[in-house]
Amino acid sequence: MITIDGPAGAGKSTVARELAKRLGFRLVDTGAMYRAFALRVKGAGLPPKTGPELNALLDQTTVELRGERVLLNGRDVSEAIRTSDVSELTSRLTTLRVVRDKATPLQRQLAAAGGVVLEGRDTGSMGGPSAEVKFYLDASETGRARRRMRELEERGRRPSLAEVRDEIARRDRQDRGRKLAPLVVPTGAIVIDSTGKSVAQVVKLMLTEVRRIQCSTRS
Ligand code: DC
């Protein structure tokens, strides 16, 4: 089991996908799961607050990962979960225990079989605490904003760099400052700074670490 944590825009998703492919592992995008819950909350018009209404809604919600696709109550929402609105709402919802308590067992269940790359905030501590390899992928704020901008441009949006950097800084503050599952470097994690590195370079570094750890645990 491999986990990849890190702040928004450090390139976790792309790197995790590539690493999983290279190793023939299953990719578990935990952020996508939370985004699907957020889309459900948005659709129901509920505020991101703990209460009986949210509990009831979550009880009637199923999220499945089918390869790269995300299913919400059986409906493919892979594209719909990638809007800024959903990003913002997800960041708020993931501060609520009831939401994390719904998603964490799902992640652990998917990870239990092994041969998985678990990607997202807190995967090194909560989702996959027993992972053999834990990575924390970091990058400078501007580097992350540039990467996020390219992603948004690929989806036809044209935001300014300042706008994207502000959004990233706001989410960082939210994600680092919160009480529940804040963004931290998990104990025992290997920190990789992706600033100025290509996906291939980061994946190469990761594969070296994975092989080193595989060798040391086998001998
Ligand atoms: O990685 P992402 O942008 O898809 O994540 C969306 C939000 O969910 C982001 O604010 C971080 C949060 N998140 C979390 O709290 N725990 C996870 N395991 C994954 C994501």
Side-chain angles (χ1 to χ4, degrees), residues 8 12-13 29-32 34-35 82 87 90-91 94 100 107 119-123 148 171 175 178 181:
K12 290 191 300 287
S13 306
D29 177 350
T30 63
Y34 283 116
R35 283 170 179 270
R82 300 289 167 191
S87 300
T90 310
S91 180
T94 50
R100 302 206 81 87
Q107 292 161 19
E119 179 256 310
R121 186 80 26 83
D122 92 338
T123 48
R148 190 59 105 204
R171 275 180 60 192
D175 292 342
R178 68 204 207 179

Side-chain angles (χ1 to χ4, degrees), residues 169-218:
R170 194 173 58 243
R171 275 180 60 192
D172 273 3
R173 274 196 302 278
Q174 226 159 262
D175 292 342
R176 289 205 168 95
R178 68 204 207 179
K179 288 205 184 74
L180 192 62
L183 173 62
V184 289
V185 180
T187 313
I190 300 159
V191 180
I192 296 181
D193 190 330
S194 69
T195 312
K197 290 190 184 75
S198 67
V199 172
Q201 284 170 322
V202 174
V203 172
K204 194 170 167 210
L205 279 174
M206 287 181 162
L207 283 170
T208 306
E209 292 293 344
V210 170
R211 290 193 181 119
R212 183 181 62 75
I213 292 165
Q214 274 178 334
C215 285
S216 67
T217 48
R218 270 186 202 138

Side-chain angles (χ1 to χ4, degrees), residues 28 40 46 56 145 175:
V28 177
R40 176 86 162 130
L46 286 186
D175 292 342

Side-chain angles (χ1 to χ4, degrees), residues 24 30 38 41 45 49 71-72 94 101 141-142 161 180 187 195 216:
T30 63
V41 171
K49 288 210 176 82
L71 303 188
L72 171 62
T94 50
D101 284 352
E141 202 174 280
T142 306
L161 182 62
L180 192 62
T187 313
T195 312
S216 67

